[in-house]
Amino acid sequence: MRLEEISFRFDTAPTLAGVSLKVPAGAFVSILGPSGCGKTTLVKIVAGYLKPLAGRVLLHDTDITNVPPGKRNTGMVFQNLALFPHLSARGNVAFGLEARGLPSSEIHQRVEAMLDQVGLKPDERNRQPGNLSGGQQQRVALARALVIQPSLLMLDEPLSNLDSHLRDQMRGLIRQVQRDTGVTTMMVTHDPEEAMAMSDLIAVMNQGTIVEVGTGRDLYQRPRSAFVARFLGLANIVDGSVIGHRPGSSLLVRPECLVINGEGVPFAGIGKVINSEFFGADVLVTVVLGNTQVLVRGRPNIMPQPGTEVRVSAMPGTIHELPADGES
Amino acid sequence: MTLLRASIAILLPTLLLVVGGTAAGAILTVRMSLHAPGAGAGLFEPGSVSLSSWASMGDAHHRGIVLTTILAGWGVSLLSTAIGALLALLAVPFAGLRFMGVMVLILAPRLSGVIASLFGLQRLLPRGWIGSLIAETWLLVPYSTLILVIALRGIDPHLVPAARGLGASRWQVLRWIIWPLSLPAVALTLQLGWVWGLGAFLGPLFLGGPDQSTLAFEIHHEAFDLGRWPRAAAEGVVLMVLTASAMAAGSWRPRP
């Protein structure tokens, strides 16, 4: 799937300005960005629900920019799932196949196979969406989008309405089903952890443009801008540059790459703790180093109290230089 | 005081007024129908008990009136629902001020005043069964449309794009999504039209011919033109029974 210079402007939707993106066949790509950056608008354009002002959408090298949604052979899971409330889970999944006029025996076979694949139990299949749990509804929505064997699957914030336990569960299921079916997938999310956990590639959007594309690891560890660095997670960004490089750059070091009172790591500085927060699996400590505040993520058994002096050091190879022209 | 108790306390006077008023009216009408017709200037014979007014309810004249009334009920019900559905489907895609404008146009017949509308229709339509039916439908359509617009706007706006994205045609979306989801509202407008049509009075008054008398029209004629209140009351009881049957039939739902 390829997007070429997509532009869009409308009163009721965020503006897009020359968005280009190439999604390799079979890949799972996340469109990640803050609210209002245009990511849902972009997916609606790809799905055919909105027409771009300029640019092209290509699927298997075929221009589908002006093809109506139902003829694009794309599947979509909406943010609110948009399950048909008067139909059973089976009825919802069969809908797209019935619309295509397939024989009922084939519909039955494909629907049951798809529901097996997403793990919806047989006794849940005749229930209407209102009588299914959030996770079960999610499975139905996924099955409904996949049963038509789409060339492209689009997921618009599919996990945003679930609690954290269910979100973890569904994250694994979506990825598993995507791998099994091999369908090229585009997911919209504002959650960087979700994007990094699920995606082969992430396209970070801001203010109607794609600011950076890369793997989760690359974007997290070696972003090209302070915006991407901050959007993907907690970041310590300090002025400075690597000796011999252009001046005016910034240095990024993630809180988990800093160590408090660590043994065998190069010494960085002594600072005063001003805050400690306990998160169960780890602690987040705010330390003032000179005139800079830094965040340090540490093990939960070491939780320095505010006011104490600590030695802060960075693990070797974890400091990344942000390019000077990167957005701050 | 809990919210439920407060709600009951607020609603109780209204509920008592509606139930009490309806029950008192029904009882008085039944009682009136059992009096002997008044001799001379009286509306009825006080203290009398007579079935003479009921004796005429089965004659050919009244059978015809009852049939006309039932047909008016069905006719108004079907026509107002069909026209209301079309208008609602036209209005729903609009948003904001445009939607308000369309709704004002749809509601205008009611806002402009019933009598003014009927005088206008009288100039446009021929007197008779069709004119009478159109007049009653004209009066009801804004209400039917309003109910259906509310129902259609209550449908999750993502359902249609979801269905279209799955390959459904516009007709399939209408048949498989919009129609079943708006069915409760359609049933409500059919029931409303049925009850409204059974009580048709102004339509027959302004546009009906001599053979299109409905029960409501006949009650008025018996009571105010002929002064036969017990007979008008007996016709009123028949109309109440028809209306109650329509309400009961409209409220019936098959067991799941």
Side-chain angles (χ1 to χ4, degrees):
Chain A
M1 201 272 292
R2 221 164 63 231
L3 302 178
E4 289 180 354
E5 292 294 321
I6 298 285
S7 293
F8 183 82
R9 181 183 286 275
F10 197 70
D11 297 345
T12 55
T15 298
L16 297 179
V19 172
S20 296
L21 180 69
K22 195 174 174 186
V23 179
F28 192 116
V29 176
S30 285
I31 310 294
L32 174 70
S35 297
C37 71
K39 53 192 188 299
T40 296
T41 305
L42 184 64
V43 165
K44 282 183 178 171
I45 286 172
V46 176
Y49 297 121
L50 292 175
K51 283 251 175 341
L53 206 63
R56 297 197 305 163
V57 180
L58 294 113
L59 194 59
H60 300 310
D61 291 327
T62 307
D63 187 349
I64 58 163
T65 317
N66 295 311
V67 176
K71 306 243 184 258
R72 294 189 175 204
N73 199 33
T74 55
M76 176 130 177
V77 175
F78 289 79
Q79 186 171 6
N80 74 342
L81 304 182
L83 293 176
F84 307 126
H86 58 297
L87 299 180
S88 65
R90 273 197 180 92
N92 267 279
V93 179
F95 188 92
L97 302 176
E98 284 168 357
R100 285 162 167 75
L102 296 184
S104 55
S105 57
E106 187 183 342
I107 292 174
H108 176 77
Q109 188 196 336
R110 279 171 66 173
V111 167
E112 296 305 315
M114 200 68 237
L115 288 171
D116 284 341
Q117 196 162 10
V118 298
L120 196 77
K121 293 175 190 151
D123 62 313
E124 296 160 353
R125 296 178 186 182
N126 280 334
R127 291 192 206 156
Q128 290 180 330
N131 296 322
L132 295 172
S133 69
Q136 289 162 346
Q137 289 181 19
Q138 203 84 31
R139 288 168 202 266
V140 175
L142 188 62
R144 186 179 71 174
L146 283 170
V147 77
I148 58 172
Q149 295 173 345
S151 305
L152 177 70
L153 173 67
M154 279 163 292
L155 310 164
D156 185 6
E157 307 251 13
L159 308 176
S160 60
N161 296 327
L162 302 179
D163 60 52
S164 64
H165 172 70
L166 206 52
R167 202 158 50 224
D168 293 345
Q169 213 180 336
M170 290 309 299
R171 204 152 64 188
L173 175 80
I174 290 173
R175 195 63 173 115
Q176 185 60 50
V177 172
Q178 191 268 338
R179 282 199 186 105
D180 291 348
T181 54
V183 62
T184 309
T185 303
M186 196 172 172
M187 179 177 77
V188 164
T189 180
H190 64 269
D191 183 341
E193 283 183 13
E194 195 172 287
M196 286 188 283
M198 297 174 77
S199 320
D200 299 314
L201 275 179
I202 299 172
V204 183
M205 278 190 79
N206 190 28
Q207 295 178 341
T209 55
I210 291 180
V211 291
E212 201 170 336
V213 182
T215 63
R217 185 177 289 270
D218 280 347
L219 294 179
Y220 186 78
Q221 293 179 339
R222 289 177 292 281
R224 281 189 278 129
S225 69
F227 170 78
V228 174
R230 289 203 178 96
F231 196 76
L232 265 80
L234 290 174
N236 297 303
I237 297 174
V238 293
D239 292 338
S241 57
V242 175
I243 295 165
H245 287 199
R246 267 197 310 167
S249 315
S250 307
L251 298 175
L252 162 73
V253 58
R254 296 286 182 189
E256 61 275 16
C257 300
L258 292 177
V259 183
I260 287 177
N261 300 334
E263 299 288 329
V265 281
F267 172 68
I270 289 178
K272 188 178 267 184
V273 173
I274 58 166
N275 192 28
S276 288
E277 292 170 280
F278 179 71
F279 290 100
D282 51 33
V283 292
L284 193 65
V285 184
T286 310
V287 182
V288 177
L289 276 176
N291 54 5
T292 308
Q293 270 188 24
V294 293
L295 294 167
V296 184
R297 203 187 288 281
R299 289 203 303 260
N301 56 336
I302 303 166
M303 190 162 174
Q305 293 306 303
T308 52
E309 280 203 339
V310 290
R311 200 156 49 91
V312 178
S313 42
M315 288 191 280
T318 58
I319 297 176
H320 170 66
E321 186 182 25
L322 292 169
D325 55 356
E327 187 197 343
S328 58
Chain B
M1 190 182 274
T2 63
L3 187 65
L4 181 68
R5 280 184 185 174
S7 306
I8 290 171
I10 292 167
L11 289 175
L12 201 59
T14 313
L15 202 65
L16 285 175
L17 199 69
V18 171
V19 173
T22 308
I27 291 165
L28 284 173
T29 308
V30 172
R31 209 178 134 193
M32 171 70 80
S33 74
L34 295 172
H35 282 303
L43 298 175
F44 59 93
E45 206 62 58
S48 62
V49 177
S50 168
L51 289 174
S52 63
S53 297
W54 282 97
S56 61
M57 287 302 111
D59 62 24
H61 171 67
H62 279 95
R63 283 205 306 272
I65 289 172
V66 168
L67 184 67
T68 308
T69 304
I70 291 172
L71 288 176
W74 287 349
V76 172
S77 172
L78 292 172
L79 258 182
S80 62
T81 303
I83 296 170
L86 283 175
L87 289 174
L89 285 171
L90 283 173
V92 163
F94 290 100
L97 278 176
R98 284 180 187 168
F99 173 70
M100 297 297 285
V102 172
M103 287 313 292
V104 166
L105 281 178
I106 290 169
L107 295 171
R110 296 302 298 176
L111 300 175
S112 66
V114 174
I115 304 297
S117 295
L118 288 172
F119 272 122
L121 286 178
Q122 213 176 25
R123 306 277 302 188
L124 293 170
L125 299 169
R127 285 192 83 92
W129 170 241
I130 298 291
S132 175
L133 188 66
I134 291 175
E136 285 295 334
T137 305
W138 170 265
L139 294 174
L140 183 62
V141 155
Y143 295 127
S144 309
T145 309
L146 205 56
I147 292 170
L148 292 166
V149 162
I150 291 167
L152 289 178
R153 283 177 80 92
I155 295 174
D156 178 353
H158 293 100
L159 296 187
V160 172
R164 296 283 285 152
L166 287 165
S169 64
R170 283 179 201 279
W171 169 242
Q172 285 171 328
V173 170
L174 193 67
R175 219 177 85 203
W176 293 348
I177 305 297
I178 294 172
W179 168 249
L181 289 176
S182 53
L183 212 49
V186 171
L188 183 64
T189 54
L190 282 171
Q191 189 179 9
L192 178 70
W194 197 1
V195 172
W196 180 286
L198 287 176
F201 174 71
L202 289 173
L205 180 69
F206 276 78
L207 282 136
D211 299 326
Q212 282 84 45
S213 186
T214 57
L215 272 169
F217 188 78
E218 187 68 11
I219 290 166
H220 181 268
H221 177 61
E222 287 285 346
F224 295 105
D225 298 338
L226 305 175
R228 295 193 296 215
W229 280 66
R231 188 184 276 208
E235 288 165 347
V237 173
V238 173
L239 182 56
M240 279 195 295
V241 170
L242 282 179
T243 307
S245 309
M247 297 282 282
S251 307
W252 181 80
R253 298 282 179 277
R255 287 188 180 190

